Amino acid sequence: MKCFILALLLATLASGENIFKINITPEEAQQFLNSAQLRGIGDIEYAPKTGENPLPEARNENGEFVYMGRVIEHPEEYVEEHYDAHQYHGQDGLGQFAYGYRDWNQGKNEKRDETGKVTGSYKYVQPHGRDFVANYYADKTGFHVEDNRPAHLKLPATKTPAVLKAEEEHFKLWGELAAAAGHNPDPYAPEYQQEGRYQPTEPEYQPYVHEEPPYVPGPEETGEPKGFFYAFDYNVPLLRNKEERAELERLRAINNKDE
């Protein structure tokens, strides 16, 4: 029976159907969480484009062409694109979770397993067209991340001629002043210290003790743990300038060749 339920679950996730499950058992929630990679855990894909069309005709009381409240002076230079965005989120009520989303130019996935280890990745299109991709995990050893930025060789710091000259003048002046004073000034010398130390009197100092009533769970926090999972697709309309879109696509083709 469990195998049948799991097979049905995998088929549902793979088909892209919307899922809304609440107040489910931890075991059922974990099946959804462990199958969430079918919705994007791992290699992140941007939301697929489903179509485009000229801007719908709409004008304000002044006769100006408007799109979603924005005045467009040259509507022929723009198109309305449509993307199949997606998001999902689930928890098992015992600490495990998974969530993620994808849009036309960005996406993210994150998951926490039964040991408390968190793994995730995110990706987005940078202004120069190159995809920025980061993979990370967090466990008892700390937070660790790797990304696809080019490695840069770190060279030791060097002093410029101006810095070297300033240092030389500083130490020369310091030596002259020290010689004139007879010794280097020591602010911690005994002659600069006051006798005795300040001791606060009893009324001035009262140690702070934080008192908090014992925790009592509310009625909604008792009972068997419950989980939830949802996943759904939704259409995202996007206003794109034709020239800017062409330039970004050109940059993406150049700067993502090695990906």
Side-chain angles (χ1 to χ4, degrees):
M1 183 63 179
K2 289 185 178 180
C3 293
F4 173 76
I5 295 176
L6 180 58
L8 181 61
L9 170 62
L10 294 176
T12 302
L13 287 173
S15 65
E17 295 182 12
N18 294 338
I19 303 171
F20 295 92
K21 298 288 185 179
I22 60 173
N23 292 327
I24 57 179
T25 65
E27 292 75 19
E28 186 177 0
Q30 288 164 11
Q31 290 182 346
F32 282 102
L33 299 183
N34 294 332
S35 303
Q37 66 267 20
L38 295 179
R39 310 298 295 178
I41 285 286
D43 295 332
I44 299 177
E45 296 182 356
Y46 297 130
K49 181 180 175 181
T50 58
E52 69 175 63
N53 52 263
L55 301 189
E57 181 71 25
R59 297 185 181 274
N60 59 20
E61 62 276 9
N62 298 323
E64 298 170 312
F65 195 101
V66 294
Y67 177 82
M68 294 187 177
R70 173 182 172 182
V71 175
I72 305 296
E73 294 184 358
H74 302 284
E76 69 280 0
E77 298 178 358
Y78 294 84
V79 295
E80 181 185 65
E81 296 182 337
H82 293 268
Y83 291 86
D84 185 23
H86 176 79
Q87 64 175 276
Y88 66 91
H89 182 199
Q91 299 183 23
D92 69 349
L94 300 175
Q96 298 187 65
F97 68 79
Y99 78 92
Y101 65 88
R102 70 181 182 203
D103 206 338
W104 75 279
N105 65 347
Q106 60 180 304
K108 180 182 179 181
N109 300 293
E110 185 172 292
K111 188 174 183 179
R112 179 180 179 180
D113 63 20
E114 67 278 2
T115 69
K117 181 179 180 179
V118 175
T119 57
S121 57
Y122 59 90
K123 175 180 178 180
Y124 62 87
V125 180
Q126 300 180 88
H128 54 72
R130 181 176 173 84
D131 290 335
F132 179 86
V133 183
N135 298 290
Y136 60 89
Y137 71 92
D139 57 13
K140 61 183 180 181
T141 65
F143 180 79
H144 311 268
V145 61
E146 293 183 354
D147 58 55
N148 65 336
R149 289 178 295 182
H152 294 281
L153 179 62
K154 295 183 178 180
L155 300 176
T158 57
K159 298 179 181 180
T160 64
V163 171
L164 293 173
K165 181 179 179 181
E167 283 187 347
E168 181 181 359
E169 294 176 351
H170 168 77
F171 287 116
K172 179 181 178 182
L173 179 60
W174 174 264
E176 293 174 353
L177 294 175
H183 62 83
N184 290 328
D186 181 7
Y188 298 101
E191 57 266 28
Y192 297 120
Q193 306 303 313
Q194 296 181 357
E195 295 183 1
R197 281 189 172 184
Y198 170 74
Q199 295 291 338
T201 60
E202 187 65 25
E204 292 182 273
Y205 174 73
Q206 294 292 336
Y208 173 74
V209 178
H210 178 70
E211 296 183 359
E212 187 172 326
Y215 172 72
V216 178
E220 72 282 356
E221 301 177 61
T222 60
E224 295 295 327
K226 296 292 184 180
F228 70 88
F229 187 87
Y230 68 78
F232 60 91
D233 299 324
Y234 54 99
N235 174 64
V236 174
L238 182 66
L239 177 67
R240 300 292 302 276
N241 179 279
K242 296 178 182 178
E243 290 187 2
E244 293 177 357
R245 177 179 66 175
E247 176 63 13
L248 181 60
E249 291 177 351
R250 184 187 71 83
L251 292 174
R252 285 182 53 75
I254 295 174
N255 294 325
N256 290 300
K257 287 182 178 180
D258 57 342
E259 294 297 324

